[in-house]
Amino acid sequence: MLAIRAVPAFKDNYIWILERGGNAAAVDPGDARPVEEFLSRSGLRLTAILATHHHSDHVGGLAELASRWGCPTFGPAREVAEKLDTRLREGDRFEVPGIGVTLEAIDIPGHTAGHIALTGEGMLFCGDTLFACGCGRLFEGTAAQMMESLAKLARLPGDTRVYCGHEYTVSNIRFAQAVEPGNAALDRRKERDTAKQLRGEPTLPSTIADELATNPFLRCEEPAVVAAAQNHAGRTLASTVEVFAEIRAWKNNF
Ligand SMILES: [Zn+2]
């Protein structure tokens, strides 16, 4: 049976492990050491490494793990990362070696220029693009690009499980409540995810349905979100992209 494990790294990163039959595939191993410790504790063999984008907290351990285990690596076609065997672009499908799961790449530029997501079998690995109740910062892309990338992810089935790269959920919910204080689904989510955090559990995965109901960056056409963005900007915002950009800038300084 396929299992997905969260290996914490650095302050708030998650390295996701797909595990089946004694084999493991690591998604976004920013650091080799916690992965090695997890593998040795669990008696697993690393059979593949997957990467969503080039930031070092996502690929910093990739080369070391790949050479130690001799396993194939998969990552974005349009970004430079050392030791990528297979470079993926929109629509590319591949079977994860040793795991028997087929994933498909989706191009989602915005956080970085070549960022990809990997989806299949009801799962989404989206790195630093879609976060639980938030989205990544715009380091190499525009607000319009990021909005289009998020819209692609939002079109996945509602029960798709969302595995993102960081544990930011509870602070993201605080911001979402500032944008949309009347959203009852947000209140329920805050209660649920705060309880998980207090128990020391990951708040992830969330689902696409959770995000559609609570994530302000997917709700830029909701009248309450438009009104909050315009109020924060102190002017009328002419388009959904402007609403998105205003909320993204607001979050940067929240
Ligand atoms: Zn990043």
Side-chain angles (χ1 to χ4, degrees):
M1 207 183 93
L2 177 69
I4 310 296
R5 315 282 184 205
V7 173
F10 307 115
K11 182 163 158 270
D12 48 31
N13 282 72
Y14 287 125
I15 300 166
W16 295 107
I17 305 284
L18 292 76
E19 175 190 338
R20 171 134 57 194
N23 293 337
V27 181
D28 283 353
D31 188 2
R33 188 149 65 145
V35 176
E36 293 289 10
E37 285 170 359
F38 172 82
L39 294 170
S40 105
R41 213 169 43 240
S42 317
L44 298 170
R45 189 166 64 104
L46 192 67
T47 55
I49 299 172
L50 319 176
T52 61
H53 68 293
H54 70 84
H55 284 160
S56 65
D57 63 322
H58 293 253
V59 296
L62 186 148
E64 184 182 336
L65 287 167
S67 83
R68 154 97 172 79
W69 292 89
C71 66
T73 59
F74 300 79
R78 297 184 294 155
E79 292 191 352
V80 178
E82 52 175 325
K83 190 81 185 77
L84 270 191
D85 301 318
T86 303
R87 295 177 171 269
L88 304 165
R89 49 184 78 241
E90 178 96 11
D92 286 349
R93 290 163 62 85
F94 65 103
E95 188 177 306
V96 182
I99 306 297
V101 164
T102 296
L103 296 179
E104 179 172 338
I106 309 174
D107 284 332
I108 48 169
H111 177 68
T112 62
H115 201 307
I116 59 168
L118 298 168
T119 188
E121 306 208 9
M123 303 176 292
L124 171 68
F125 299 96
C126 49
D128 290 353
T129 296
L130 175 62
F131 286 128
C133 222
C135 78
R137 287 174 188 258
L138 305 176
F139 288 126
E140 299 173 13
T142 64
Q145 276 180 323
M146 186 60 138
M147 221 178 71
E148 172 54 30
S149 295
L150 292 171
K152 281 185 189 175
L153 303 182
R155 287 194 288 271
L156 293 168
D159 60 358
T160 305
R161 299 187 304 285
V162 177
Y163 296 92
C164 39
H166 291 266
E167 180 62 68
Y168 290 157
T169 313
V170 170
S171 73
N172 283 347
I173 290 172
R174 271 198 294 276
F175 174 71
Q177 286 187 309
V179 176
E180 218 183 350
N183 184 339
L186 260 177
D187 298 338
R188 291 192 295 273
R189 186 169 192 182
K190 184 176 190 179
E191 202 170 307
R192 183 191 74 189
D193 288 343
T194 303
K196 280 187 189 170
Q197 196 172 56
L198 288 172
R199 291 195 299 267
E201 297 168 12
T203 60
L204 304 169
S206 68
T207 65
I208 291 294
D210 281 336
E211 299 312 322
L212 287 170
T214 57
N215 190 324
F217 296 99
L218 301 185
R219 296 171 60 78
C220 292
E221 291 180 0
E222 289 292 319
V225 175
V226 175
Q230 294 192 144
N231 188 47
H232 187 262
R235 64 188 175 92
T236 301
L237 300 171
S239 67
T240 309
V241 174
E242 281 191 44
V243 171
F244 178 89
E246 182 64 28
I247 294 174
R248 187 54 265 179
W250 180 2
K251 175 73 165 60
N252 288 346
N253 300 306
F254 186 70

